[in-house]
């Protein structure tokens, strides 16, 4: 792989993965309940693979698991950064709703 290909791929991946993360954050923000973190960790993994495969198909590049793994390594920093951001938002969201429920329970017990 040459540097131009790598730069094009990283740019494509970062743009589309960022868009995906933003959509997930919006979905979480609109939720009025505790969200299931496993649902989002699963999405992180499947979206990463989907973006890589779509890039390869759109560029008429034959691929196998080795190529997908190699490209994953090229963007692992993006995956980690965006994934940590999403998981942090889920944690804050869930903590907020758990705190609200605890406060409601305390009020219920007092009355």
């Amino acid at each position: 792989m040459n540097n131009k290909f790598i730069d094009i791929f990283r740019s494509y991946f970062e743009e589309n993965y960022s868009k995906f993360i933003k959509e997930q954050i919006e979905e979480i923000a609109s939720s009025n309940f505790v969200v299931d973190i496993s649902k989002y960790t699963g999405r992180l993994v499947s979206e990463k693979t989907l973006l890589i495969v779509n890039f390869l198909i759109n560029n008429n590049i034959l691929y196998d698991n080795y190529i997908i793994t190699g490209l994953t390594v090229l963007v692992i920093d993006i995956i980690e950064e965006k994934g940590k951001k999403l998981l942090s938002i889920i944690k804050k969201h869930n903590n907020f709703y758990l705190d609200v429920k605890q406060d409601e329970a305390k009020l219920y017990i007092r009355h």
Side-chain angles (χ1 to χ4, degrees):
M1 284 186 246
N2 63 38
N3 288 339
K4 184 178 178 185
F5 174 84
I6 292 170
D7 291 342
I8 291 169
F9 170 69
R10 281 185 57 85
S11 176
Y12 161 86
F13 187 88
E14 183 160 24
E15 178 183 334
N16 288 285
Y17 203 67
S18 295
K19 216 180 290 182
F20 162 74
I21 295 294
K22 183 180 179 202
E23 291 168 357
Q24 302 310 296
I25 291 170
E26 289 170 357
E27 181 179 305
I28 292 163
S30 69
S31 173
N32 293 322
F33 303 98
V34 172
V35 296
D36 180 3
I37 197 165
S38 67
K39 172 180 169 182
Y40 292 93
T41 54
R43 286 181 182 178
L44 288 171
V45 172
S46 59
E47 184 68 16
K48 175 252 327 166
T49 304
L50 182 64
L51 288 174
I52 292 171
V53 169
N54 284 342
F55 178 83
L56 294 168
I57 290 170
N58 292 338
N59 289 281
N60 297 319
I61 299 170
L62 297 175
Y63 64 92
D64 58 18
N65 285 336
Y66 294 110
I67 291 175
I68 293 171
T69 301
L71 290 176
T72 299
V73 170
L74 292 175
V75 292
I76 198 71
D77 57 323
I78 298 168
I79 294 166
E80 287 180 355
E81 174 193 341
K82 306 293 181 189
K84 284 180 184 177
K85 178 181 178 182
L86 179 62
L87 296 177
S88 173
I89 288 170
I90 291 170
K91 182 179 176 183
K92 288 177 186 174
H93 174 86
N94 285 348
N95 284 341
F96 171 78
Y97 279 98
L98 290 173
D99 289 344
V100 167
K101 292 298 175 192
Q102 285 178 348
D103 290 344
E104 288 175 359
K106 287 175 186 175
L107 286 173
Y108 180 77
I109 291 170
R110 286 184 199 159
H111 290 97

